[in-house]
């Protein structure tokens, strides 16, 4: 449920810029002797851990500029790492040598020091020391080669991991110098020394000690908030429940980015016991949640997934006040259809506060669990599909590109085509049955007055068409002309469209927009409301080539998320079909790809390149997309037709369900001594459509169950080993732990993995291929049940399943 609307309060600026070798050397040598062992190399000016609340107020840096500064700083840290990763190998080794112990016998030097004459030069820029240069440490004086002798056979990926840990360590050191709170300094020093030791020993950073391992309390805050939504709001209608779930997501998102005050700051308003618990949880938050956000050498956890009621009680009052203020300050930035989240937030916070104070509240009971159907429904409903404003630039030239936020989730992978031989003899439904269903649907709409007055789920497409029928909005194709007079109304609309495009597409030069809008070869489909253009699509048809080029597509900000963008594109499709044009092409930037995919465009270009090359305008950093039009489809009516078909299909299913839902007496033949009866003799079976299927005789296989068990086990071992070595097998090599995925075992009751299958194979469990295939199938079905189709895990399951079936067929063990 985490990851709601972007109301976040994050930490103060994080700077990953390089400050020079000499400054880093002085700063690292002063950290209680811990940094003197490797005190060369750039410190990176890493103000990365300037924590809000460490000597100030929590969340004080939650303004938009601070958030942007933090994101920019994180990007700079990542850019610095990429820069180091791309250095030549000698410079990488020189960087590593500064944090590597001298390999000469009897030498205790723990890091190569730059010679005196070069100590102000930086190996991350242009300085590349020679391998025979001596260490400046008076007790060492050995060459740089002596400090990197143990790195001769290190792989490129391992070298980059060590370099990343070094940069994280330098960032931590700089942060430690800037933080004033003593408790926070101790945590940073501990993590600094941990990373320093990991670089020396070339091991992964693992945090062990009295802090414990995440999660620290059950149930976690995320699970409790999900339970609260079900416990308090399950009686609401679907739209209202959707709103409250979005409110809960917003709260969790805020919590995951909230900056907690230091224990010394909170000491005055907490009891002794609460202050003690808060200090422990604050330290845990720093170590497992906050610092790993900018030190990715450490594993990061989300606050809402590892903490529970104890932490939330101590911070809820202050945090809820700041969240309310944040909602008020950002109200105008929310689209109108999302403002219900803002209005419902105070109500949600009061409800959560009441349950937080109750000692017997069921949402904090670890055994309390909403029905699985509710949990799965919420997960599927709230798969995060980032929607793109219609005003995203379709074709951008030059300028900085914004982050890609318009990509929709990947579509569900198509299933393998089924064998239709068994269903070829199925007839279509009789016409009278279909007509009866259509009549029932029409009558139900007529009689249900409540639904007519208060429609439950009216689509935006229906609303837009209703506005068009009432003449509240109009669609006109307008353009400039040099051969005949252009009326005043058209000129005014073109000027208005120019302003809409310029405002919604800020990266496009205004001169370029004016040039194309008023170009006589271009036309614009204008959306007119109250005699003012509120959106449009500028396009250029190429009838001789059989395609239309879309140049600009935008809807004014106040009229977005109402379905206008989709209806505009449908009108353009119908306009093109009427003129014999069956293809649309456009160059879409990263912000517009999501919108065009929803309108039926694809990156798979089905037109031959000579057809459009030299005609369509090409843009840098943009993606060519194509939409093929079907001449028999009326696009402005297509959604309504599909909806009508869906309603008829549901009515047919309901009628069929009523027909077959007949209770028949049970079978008594077994009491009379019969051991078995033919399946077709069961009363009512043929009435519901059952037909006997003649299964083809199975060809003989060399390794059937009746064969030698040892030979069968050898084949299973061969298949299992091949599956383990497949590139998509990494998510399934070992069991999923509750520490990694806290709610996994709430949904998966029968887990399975390749390691467990290997253990079962050794114990002789797989006496038949059916048992072996069942366990393997369970791995894939569990993965697809828990993960959404857009995830890497889901795609790995599909890929590995196909590979497993191929290996089984090669050995004659597959008959599907």
């Amino acid at each position: 449920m985490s990851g709601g609307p972007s109301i976040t309060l994050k930490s103060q600026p994080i700077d990953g810029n390089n400050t020079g070798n000499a400054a880093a050397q002085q700063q690292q040598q002063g950290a209680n002797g811990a940094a003197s062992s490797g005190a060369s190399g750039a410190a990176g000016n890493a103000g990365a851990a300037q924590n809000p609340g460490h000597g100030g107020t929590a969340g004080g840096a939650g303004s938009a500029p601070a958030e942007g500064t933090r994101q920019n700083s994180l990007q700079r840290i990542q850019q610095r790492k990429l820069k180091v990763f791309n250095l030549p190998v000698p410079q990488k080794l020189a960087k590593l040598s500064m944090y590597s112990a001298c390999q000469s016998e009897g030498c205790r030097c723990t890091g190569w020091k730059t010679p005196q004459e070069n100590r102000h030069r930086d190996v991350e820029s242009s300085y590349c020391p020679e391998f025979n240069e001596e260490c400046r440490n008076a007790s060492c004086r050995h060459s740089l080669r002596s400090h990197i002798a143990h790195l001769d056979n290190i792989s490129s990926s391992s070298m980059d991991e060590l370099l990343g840990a070094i940069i994280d360590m330098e960032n931590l050191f700089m942060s430690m110098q800037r933080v004033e709170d003593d408790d926070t300094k101790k945590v940073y020093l501990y993590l600094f020394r941990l990373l320093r030791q990991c670089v020396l020993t070339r091991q992964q950073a693992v945090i062990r000690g009295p802090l414990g391992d995440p999660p620290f309390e059950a149930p976690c805050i995320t699970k409790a908030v999900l339970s609260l939504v079900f416990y308090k709001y399950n009686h609401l209608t679907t739209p209202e429940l959707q709103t409250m779930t979005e409110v809960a997501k917003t709260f969790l998102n805020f919590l995951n980015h909230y900056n907690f005050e230091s224990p010394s700051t909170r000491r005055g308003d907490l009891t002794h016991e609460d202050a003690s618990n808060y200090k422990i949880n604050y330290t845990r938050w720093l170590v497992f949640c906050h610092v790993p956000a900018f030190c990715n050498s450490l594993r990061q956890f989300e606050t809402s997934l590892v903490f529970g009621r104890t932490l939330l009680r101590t911070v809820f009052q202050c945090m809820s006040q700041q969240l309310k203020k944040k909602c008020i300050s950002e109200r105008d930035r929310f689209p109108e259809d999302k403002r219900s989240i803002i209005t419902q937030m105070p109500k949600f916070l009061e409800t959560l506060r009441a349950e937080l104070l109750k000692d017997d509240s069921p949402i904090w009971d670890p055994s309390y669990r909403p029905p699985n159907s509710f949990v799965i429904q919420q997960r599927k409903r709230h798969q995060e599909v980032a929607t793109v404003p219609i005003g995203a630039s379709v074709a951008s030239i030059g300028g900085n590109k914004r982050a890609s936020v318009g990509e929709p989730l990947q579509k569900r992978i198509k299933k393998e085509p089924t064998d239709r031989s068994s269903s070829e003899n199925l007839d279509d439904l009789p016409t009278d049955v279909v007509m009866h269903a259509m009549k029932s649907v029409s009558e139900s709409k007529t009689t249900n007055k409540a639904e007519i007055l208060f429609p439950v789920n009216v689509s935006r497409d229906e609303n837009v068409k209703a506005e068009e029928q009432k003449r509240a909005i109009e669609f006109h194709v307008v353009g400039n002309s040099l051969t005949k007079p252009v009326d005043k109304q058209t000129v005014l609309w073109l000027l208005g469209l120019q302003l809409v495009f310029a405002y919604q597409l800020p990266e496009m030069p205004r001169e370029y927009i004016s040039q194309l809008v008023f170009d006589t070869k271009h036309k614009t489909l204008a959306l007119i409301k109250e005699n003012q253009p509120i959106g449009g699509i500028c396009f250029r048809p190429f009838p001789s080539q059989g395609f239309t080029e879309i140049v600009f597509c935008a809807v004014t900000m106040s009229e977005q998320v109402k379905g206008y963008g989709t209806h505009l594109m449908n009108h353009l499709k119908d306009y093109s079909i009427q003129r014999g044009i069956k293809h649309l092409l456009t160059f879409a930037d990263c912000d517009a790809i999501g919108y065009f995919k929803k309108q039926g465009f694809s990156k798979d270009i089905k037109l031959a390149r000579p057809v459009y090359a030299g005609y369509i305008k090409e843009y840098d950093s943009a993606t060519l997309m194509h939409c093929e039009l079907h001449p028999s489809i009326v696009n402005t009516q297509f959604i309504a037709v599909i909806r009508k078909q869906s309603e008829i299909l549901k009515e047919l299913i309901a009628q069929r369900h009523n027909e077959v839902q007949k209770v028949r007496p049970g079978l008594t033949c077994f009491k009379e001594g019969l051991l078995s009866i033919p399946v077709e003799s069961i009363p009512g079976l043929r009435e519901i459509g059952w037909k006997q299927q003649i299964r083809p005789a199975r060809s003989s296989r060399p390794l059937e169950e009746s064969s030698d068990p040892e030979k069968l086990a050898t084949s299973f071992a061969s298949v299992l080993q091949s599956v383990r070595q497949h590139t998509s097998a990494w998510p399934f090599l070992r069991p999923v732990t509750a520490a990694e995925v806290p709610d996994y075992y709430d949904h998966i009751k029968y887990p399975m993995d390749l390691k467990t299958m290997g253990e079962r194979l050794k114990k002789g469990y797989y006496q038949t291929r059916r048992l072996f295939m069942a366990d393997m199938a369970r791995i894939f079905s569990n993965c697809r049940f828990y993960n959404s189709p857009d995830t890497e895990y889901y795609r790995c399951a599909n890929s590995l399943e196909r590979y497993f079936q191929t290996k089984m067929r090669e050995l004659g063990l597959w008959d599907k």
Side-chain angles (χ1 to χ4, degrees), residues 233-280:
Y233 306 111
N234 192 40
H235 64 282
L236 300 177
T237 62
T238 301
E240 292 173 331
L241 181 60
Q242 168 96 7
T243 299
M244 296 312 298
T245 308
E246 292 290 340
V247 172
K249 286 172 56 180
T250 303
F251 170 80
L252 291 173
N253 185 64
F254 185 86
L255 174 66
N256 287 328
H257 298 97
Y258 185 78
N259 296 301
F260 299 103
E261 292 175 299
S262 63
S264 58
T265 307
R266 294 293 309 275
R267 193 171 298 151
D269 58 348
L270 295 174
T271 64
H272 178 73
E273 182 180 358
D274 288 341
S276 177
N277 290 332
Y278 182 74
K279 185 172 183 178
I280 295 172

Side-chain angles (χ1 to χ4, degrees), residues 147-180:
H147 289 78
I148 60 172
H150 61 298
L151 301 175
D152 287 342
N153 298 322
I154 189 172
S155 64
S156 177
S157 59
S158 299
M159 185 181 297
D160 288 345
E161 287 180 6
L162 288 175
L163 290 168
I166 288 173
I167 294 173
D168 289 340
M169 183 178 63
E170 293 174 347
N171 290 343
L172 265 174
F173 179 82
M174 293 298 299
S175 302
M176 184 171 56
Q177 303 302 309
R178 300 184 180 192
V179 170
E180 297 178 358

Side-chain angles (χ1 to χ4, degrees), residues 52 158 270 318 320 329 342 692 743 746:
S158 299
L270 295 174
C318 180
S320 61
S329 64
I342 302 294
Q692 186 176 9
D743 68 334
D746 293 343

Side-chain angles (χ1 to χ4, degrees), residues 144-397:
L144 184 148
R145 191 183 305 277
S146 300
H147 289 78
I148 60 172
H150 61 298
L151 301 175
D152 287 342
N153 298 322
I154 189 172
S155 64
S156 177
S157 59
S158 299
M159 185 181 297
D160 288 345
E161 287 180 6
L162 288 175
L163 290 168
I166 288 173
I167 294 173
D168 289 340
M169 183 178 63
E170 293 174 347
N171 290 343
L172 265 174
F173 179 82
M174 293 298 299
S175 302
M176 184 171 56
Q177 303 302 309
R178 300 184 180 192
V179 170
E180 297 178 358
D181 181 72
D182 291 335
D183 295 326
T184 308
K185 276 192 175 183
K186 291 177 182 178
V187 175
Y188 285 177
L189 181 60
Y190 162 76
L191 295 175
F192 173 86
R193 288 174 172 170
L194 174 67
L195 288 178
R196 182 72 182 91
Q197 187 63 26
C198 291
V199 171
L200 283 174
T201 58
R202 293 169 57 185
Q203 295 178 350
Q204 289 287 340
V206 179
I207 299 171
R208 295 188 177 93
L211 290 177
D213 297 322
F216 305 111
E217 190 175 359
C220 66
I221 298 173
T222 294
K223 186 175 180 181
V225 170
L226 175 63
S227 300
L228 176 69
V229 173
F230 175 79
Y231 179 60
K232 289 291 186 180
Y233 306 111
N234 192 40
H235 64 282
L236 300 177
T237 62
T238 301
E240 292 173 331
L241 181 60
Q242 168 96 7
T243 299
M244 296 312 298
T245 308
E246 292 290 340
V247 172
K249 286 172 56 180
T250 303
F251 170 80
L252 291 173
N253 185 64
F254 185 86
L255 174 66
N256 287 328
H257 298 97
Y258 185 78
N259 296 301
F260 299 103
E261 292 175 299
S262 63
S264 58
T265 307
R266 294 293 309 275
R267 193 171 298 151
D269 58 348
L270 295 174
T271 64
H272 178 73
E273 182 180 358
D274 288 341
S276 177
N277 290 332
Y278 182 74
K279 185 172 183 178
I280 295 172
N281 284 326
Y282 174 82
T283 306
R284 288 170 171 171
W285 171 76
L286 277 180
V287 171
F288 294 100
C289 303
H290 181 70
V291 173
F294 61 88
C295 292
N296 54 16
S297 302
L298 303 171
R299 185 182 175 190
Q300 184 184 15
F301 296 86
E302 282 193 346
T303 305
S304 62
L305 291 177
V306 297
F307 292 98
R309 186 178 192 175
T310 304
L311 175 66
L312 189 58
R313 268 184 168 178
T314 57
V315 301
F316 184 81
Q317 182 177 358
C318 180
M319 189 182 71
S320 61
Q321 291 175 356
Q322 293 186 29
L323 179 54
K324 290 176 184 177
K325 293 179 181 177
K326 193 72 174 174
C327 289
I328 294 173
S329 64
E330 296 197 358
R331 178 181 177 86
D332 295 336
R333 295 175 56 188
F334 265 62
E336 291 185 3
D337 61 329
K338 293 292 184 181
R339 288 184 183 176
S340 57
I341 297 175
I342 302 294
T343 57
Q344 294 294 332
M345 181 61 72
K347 175 183 175 182
F348 175 82
L349 291 176
E350 286 300 316
T351 304
L352 179 57
R353 177 179 174 275
E355 297 301 319
L356 195 60
L357 297 177
K358 286 182 184 177
D359 293 330
D360 57 346
S361 175
I363 70 170
W364 300 105
D365 184 358
S367 61
Y368 179 82
R369 185 175 295 116
N372 280 344
S373 58
F374 176 81
V375 177
I376 300 303
Q377 180 186 14
Q378 295 303 306
R379 179 183 290 122
K380 290 181 179 179
R381 181 185 297 165
H382 299 290
Q383 295 297 338
E384 294 187 357
V385 183
T387 56
V388 183
I390 300 302
S393 176
V394 176
S396 66
I397 52 172

Side-chain angles (χ1 to χ4, degrees), residues 70 76 105 144 152 185 210 257 284 339 388 406 440 556 585 628 641 675 683 721 742 782 796:
R70 177 183 173 87
R76 287 197 294 271
E105 186 175 355
L144 184 148
D152 287 342
K185 276 192 175 183
H257 298 97
R284 288 170 171 171
R339 288 184 183 176
V388 183
S440 299
T556 190
L585 288 175
E628 186 173 5
V641 172
L675 297 179
Q721 182 64 20
N782 286 348
C796 285

Side-chain angles (χ1 to χ4, degrees), residues 469-533:
Q469 290 175 356
K470 296 176 183 177
R471 310 284 295 183
I473 59 173
E474 298 177 354
F475 294 87
H476 298 276
V477 176
V478 294
N480 197 10
S481 176
L482 297 177
T483 58
K484 58 182 180 179
V486 180
D487 61 273
K488 180 180 179 181
Q489 184 65 76
T490 299
V491 174
L492 291 175
W493 282 348
L494 287 174
L495 289 170
L497 288 167
Q498 175 196 7
L499 293 176
V500 171
F501 292 141
Y503 184 78
Q504 295 300 126
L505 310 177
E507 295 182 0
M508 302 295 294
R510 293 204 172 196
E511 297 80 3
Y512 184 72
I513 293 175
S514 302
Q515 175 187 340
L516 296 187
V517 170
F518 288 95
D519 181 59
T520 56
K521 297 179 181 178
H522 289 74
K523 296 183 181 297
T524 303
L525 175 62
L527 170 57
I528 307 300
K529 187 174 185 179
E530 298 178 356
N531 206 34
Q532 295 293 328

Side-chain angles (χ1 to χ4, degrees), residues 753-769:
D753 59 276
L754 297 176
K755 181 180 179 182
T756 303
M757 288 189 66
E759 294 171 352
R760 286 188 170 189
L761 182 61
K762 292 178 182 178
K763 295 176 181 178
Y765 172 77
Y766 299 118
Q767 294 295 317
T768 67
R769 64 188 180 90

